[in-house]
Amino acid sequence: MLQTLSTAFIRTLREDPADAEVASHKLLVRASYIRRTAPGIYTWLPLGLAVVRKIEAIVREEMNRMGGQEVHFPALLPAEPYKATQRWDEYGPTLFTLQDRKGGDYLLAPTHEEMFTLLAKDMFSSYKDLPATLYQIQTKYRDEARPRAGLIRGREFIMKDSYSFDVDDAGLDASYQRHRDAYERIFRRLGLEYVPVNAMAGAMGGSHSEEFLHPSPIGEDTFVRSDGGYAANAEAVTTPVPPSVDASAEPAPQVVATPDTPTIDSLVDLCNSTYPRPDGREWTAADTLKNVVVVLIHPHGERELLVVGVPGDREVDMKRLEAAVAPAEVEMASEEDFKTHPELVPGYIGPQAIGPNSPLRRTETDEQGREVLTGSVRYLLDPRIVDGTSWVTGANELKKHVLHLVKGRDFEADGTIEAAEVREGDLAPDGSGPLHLERGIEVGHIFALGRKYAQALGFTVLDENGKARVVTMGSYGIGVSRVMAALAEANHDERGLAWPIQVAPYHVQVLATGKDEQVFATAHALARELDAAGLEVLYDDRRKVSAGVKFADSELLGVPFTVVVGRDLAKEGTVEIRDRRSGERRSVPAATAAAEVRATVEAALVAAPTGEAA
Ligand code: ATP
Ligand code: MG
């Protein structure tokens, strides 16, 4: 049935919602695509549903094409499978959990690895059943710490998740590659620019993974690219380790008074004015070793103090740090934490009081007979801090630092950690040149999981020789609702949305202006004819609404083509076809308008990107 605007469940807003910071969020609410229900939780209105259904249809077609079979799980799930894989704990506060009337633990699924593994285990018993790919398009729940930007980071959101099952590593590689190809086809068809980047596996476990990032200044992910083709999420960037340095000429450590040096810059200035370097070179921030105390919150709630040492000219990047210590979460150390470790003098922490160098360090044997180090706080270093490098750092006494403290000669650490910020111009780990930093929205993520879930849930199949083999798996997600927001970000201007036709809620909007009955009759007939021809048409039939408001609404809604029937009908016998995306306007005779609009819409649909590479 032809949808008229006077009866449509659409109420546009002139004002941006108070809680919205990014364009997609503001416009999707103002144009009546979504409404907020609770923080990070949105209700889909008819326009929003129309768009999300089109995105889903493209995802579904490509998943079917690559051999996936669709299933649909409940969102409300029993806890046991998630307890078996430890994720009940590892997900921590991000998991929405609840109990039934009998006290049984349940959760609202944040993702479904466990359930797919169990389902496949239930149905498959032989290598002949594999390979297999199952998928669903379903609502997920995560109590995100920082729900943000509308649909971009929701607490309820729509995800396409798929899972591959194979007997051997070669099979997994092939399944992974088929998914990767399907993802490229999906993002191409959506017309959404994407960059596949190396990623960290994070709480998901597993070996190899890539993210599909949509480059955008509002993205929460920082990623890097080198001119030589390296691309990675900043979290996954590894630091090329420099060769160790000959420190035989380096002076012995020298403890010096450094009052009033609250910042690295003030410390460097004081060193240059009071303790000039013997070789005449200036001290710089890169000569200082900054030791940052953080608390790791392990999955069972256990707190561990950790000191991270980085060159003083770099910040600790909390996202890189969190990725490096996952599934533990990270907090800054509190005053209480410092009280439990009086050897840590805030502002003057040096390697001598921590890690293997600490006089408090003991070796003990745990219940399993393993040797563990206790007593002092664990100390991990940025990989650039190699043997022989010399540092200005805290002396573990108020208002004192130490010069010429040499790694390997004067101090050691418990290991290295990738936690320092990545900077523009840093070198790619694969030797492909300097890195450029960009921001992106993560719209998809593919993981070669391996055997972690199958192992934990006892999923084996019999191979050719009748031997039980643990199945190897992949898991693959696309944030369908986040994709919709990313498309809105990429396709809007200051007046509103401007959808690409393959995801637009309607193909064309017919708009009648003025009061002339003939105008409304012509517009209505045109809208009906287009609708009957199979086009998706929205007809703005509102009577007492000014042309200005109608134009503003039409631009806000972002339907690709608008046909304006107005003054020119009586004067010239013409109507105007407007292209929302290019801004192009063209007058056509009313008599041939229907044919013109059909041809225009059909041409746009044909010109929409296919899945093939350009
Ligand atoms: P992020 O790092 O953004 O939190 P993630 O690594 O937790 O994402 P996955 O678990 O890989 O995400 O989920 C698969 C996809 O689901 C992501 O690539 C993303 O597009 C989408 N997604 C994840 N979390 C959210 C969310 N809170 N709101 C909307 N979409 C999300
Ligand atoms: Mg997440």
Side-chain angles (χ1 to χ4, degrees):
M1 206 191 80
L2 174 64
Q3 181 65 60
T4 51
L5 229 161
S6 61
T7 59
F9 196 57
I10 296 173
R11 296 291 178 273
T12 56
L13 306 174
R14 291 283 159 259
E15 301 293 324
D16 288 331
D19 62 333
E21 283 160 18
V22 305
S24 58
H25 185 191
K26 291 176 188 169
L27 293 173
L28 289 172
V29 172
R30 280 184 46 205
S32 271
Y33 284 72
I34 56 171
R35 279 284 186 281
R36 179 180 177 279
T37 306
I41 304 181
Y42 291 86
T43 303
W44 295 96
L45 306 188
L47 287 174
L49 267 185
V51 174
V52 86
R53 293 285 176 256
K54 288 195 177 175
I55 297 169
E56 288 176 2
I58 289 175
V59 171
R60 191 170 271 122
E61 268 176 45
E62 293 300 333
M63 289 310 298
N64 292 342
R65 179 205 287 266
M66 64 80 73
Q69 298 180 67
E70 188 169 3
V71 300
H72 198 83
F73 275 94
L76 177 61
L77 297 173
E80 284 70 28
Y82 288 78
K83 288 183 177 166
T85 59
Q86 312 294 325
R87 286 213 292 186
W88 179 260
D89 293 318
E90 286 176 5
Y91 256 105
T94 303
L95 209 59
F96 274 110
T97 61
L98 63 162
Q99 290 195 327
D100 69 3
R101 62 171 76 206
K102 296 189 183 124
D105 284 330
Y106 284 79
L107 73 154
L108 296 175
T111 168
H112 278 75
E113 277 74 11
E114 286 79 355
M115 305 315 295
F116 274 85
T117 309
L118 288 173
L119 183 67
K121 176 183 170 181
D122 180 18
M123 306 278 279
F124 295 152
S125 54
S126 158
Y127 73 97
K128 291 182 197 146
D129 296 322
L130 307 181
T133 291
L134 302 174
Y135 76 96
Q136 64 177 346
I137 298 177
Q138 208 244 12
T139 307
K140 301 281 192 260
Y141 296 86
R142 295 182 186 178
D143 196 357
E144 299 277 0
R146 291 170 286 275
R148 183 185 159 265
L151 299 178
I152 291 196
R153 182 169 299 282
R155 297 197 298 162
E156 176 184 293
F157 60 97
I158 302 172
M159 197 202 289
K160 184 287 299 177
D161 49 327
S162 47
Y163 304 84
S164 65
F165 304 94
D166 282 278
V167 248
D168 53 25
D169 295 351
L172 172 56
D173 284 350
S175 293
Y176 183 93
Q177 190 56 45
R178 279 189 307 120
H179 267 93
R180 199 177 188 285
D181 294 344
Y183 274 42
E184 295 212 63
R185 293 184 58 89
I186 288 168
F187 294 122
R188 279 192 210 116
R189 284 184 61 182
L190 290 168
L192 190 68
E193 189 193 349
Y194 66 94
V195 185
V197 305
N198 294 332
M200 298 272 286
M204 209 64 85
S207 52
H208 178 58
S209 106
E210 285 168 286
E211 288 169 354
F212 287 76
L213 299 183
H214 168 64
S216 164
I218 66 132
E220 281 181 273
D221 284 83
T222 304
F223 70 102
V224 299
R225 285 199 263 196
S226 74
D227 295 335
Y230 175 83
N233 192 306
E235 293 165 15
V237 173
T238 51
T239 308
V241 179
S244 51
V245 178
D246 175 10
S248 49
E250 192 66 14
Q254 179 191 358
V255 175
V256 294
T258 52
D260 304 324
T261 54
T263 62
I264 297 280
D265 285 347
S266 55
L267 174 65
V268 168
D269 288 348
L270 179 107
C271 288
N272 278 323
S273 60
T274 317
Y275 312 108
R277 288 178 56 90
D279 62 5
R281 174 171 80 72
E282 293 255 296
W283 295 108
T284 71
D287 295 312
T288 67
L289 168 56
K290 180 161 65 180
N291 295 301
V292 179
V293 188
V294 296
V295 186
L296 304 189
I297 319 286
H298 290 289
H300 293 279
E302 173 201 334
R303 290 169 73 84
E304 183 202 355
L305 277 193
L306 172 72
V307 180
V308 176
V310 297
D313 61 336
R314 287 185 192 253
E315 298 300 326
V316 168
D317 176 333
M318 289 308 268
K319 285 185 84 177
R320 271 169 61 75
L321 175 57
E322 288 208 323
V325 301
E329 292 189 3
V330 182
E331 276 178 15
M332 294 313 290
S334 66
E335 260 177 53
E336 289 304 307
D337 292 314
F338 278 103
K339 276 189 197 145
T340 62
H341 282 272
E343 78 274 21
L344 303 177
V345 184
Y348 302 90
I349 297 166
Q352 306 90 319
I354 40 185
N357 323 293
S358 165
L360 305 172
R361 179 58 66 97
R362 306 263 177 280
T363 307
E364 286 173 10
T365 312
D366 73 4
E367 301 102 67
Q368 277 105 45
R370 289 174 307 204
E371 289 208 331
V372 289
L373 298 171
T374 62
S376 75
V377 175
R378 199 147 63 101
Y379 185 40
L380 298 175
L381 286 178
D382 181 75
R384 293 172 191 81
I385 304 172
V386 293
D387 281 355
T389 52
S390 173
W391 302 94
V392 176
T393 189
N396 303 301
E397 272 182 72
L398 270 181
K399 303 185 180 178
K400 290 203 173 136
H401 281 84
V402 55
L403 314 179
H404 312 297
L405 200 73
V406 173
K407 162 80 178 27
R409 182 188 75 181
D410 306 318
F411 72 96
E412 285 299 342
D414 293 306
T416 58
I417 186 164
E418 293 286 359
E421 64 181 326
V422 178
R423 288 198 308 222
E424 184 78 24
D426 284 351
L427 293 179
D430 65 353
S432 64
L435 298 175
H436 310 291
L437 262 65
E438 287 178 65
R439 297 191 75 79
I441 300 170
E442 182 193 321
V443 287
H445 201 164
I446 56 179
F447 291 93
L449 283 179
R451 300 187 168 78
K452 169 177 164 169
Y453 291 90
Q455 190 90 56
L457 297 164
F459 178 21
T460 61
V461 293
L462 297 180
D463 69 9
E464 295 99 318
N465 307 314
K467 220 176 119 235
R469 298 261 296 258
V470 178
V471 169
T472 181
M473 292 171 51
S475 113
Y476 316 87
I478 290 183
V480 171
S481 46
R482 183 182 284 183
V483 161
M484 173 166 155
L487 282 168
E489 274 307 319
N491 297 284
H492 77 272
D493 57 23
E494 65 292 346
R495 297 187 308 271
L497 297 160
W499 297 108
I501 195 151
Q502 64 274 28
V503 297
Y506 292 98
H507 295 142
V508 57
Q509 184 172 338
V510 177
L511 191 156
T513 64
K515 293 190 183 119
D516 183 353
E517 271 316 311
Q518 187 55 41
V519 162
F520 278 84
T522 305
H524 193 191
L526 176 62
R528 285 227 308 260
E529 187 177 345
L530 295 174
D531 179 61
L535 267 60
E536 296 163 0
V537 187
L538 178 64
Y539 170 39
D540 192 346
D541 60 332
R542 292 176 296 176
R543 291 287 174 150
K544 281 178 188 144
V545 175
S546 74
V549 168
K550 287 187 172 182
F551 290 137
D553 276 348
S554 135
E555 290 185 315
L556 179 59
L557 297 191
V559 172
F561 300 101
T562 298
V563 188
V564 182
V565 186
R567 275 196 306 254
D568 292 348
L569 183 66
K571 274 197 282 177
E572 331 260 345
T574 59
V575 303
E576 189 177 68
I577 303 175
R578 295 185 177 185
D579 181 326
R580 175 68 179 95
R581 288 162 63 78
S582 70
E584 187 208 337
R585 297 174 180 198
R586 125 181 101 93
S587 283
V588 299
T592 57
E596 288 272 356
V597 173
R598 281 179 67 176
T600 304
V601 167
E602 271 153 28
L605 285 168
V606 168
T610 66
E612 310 303 326

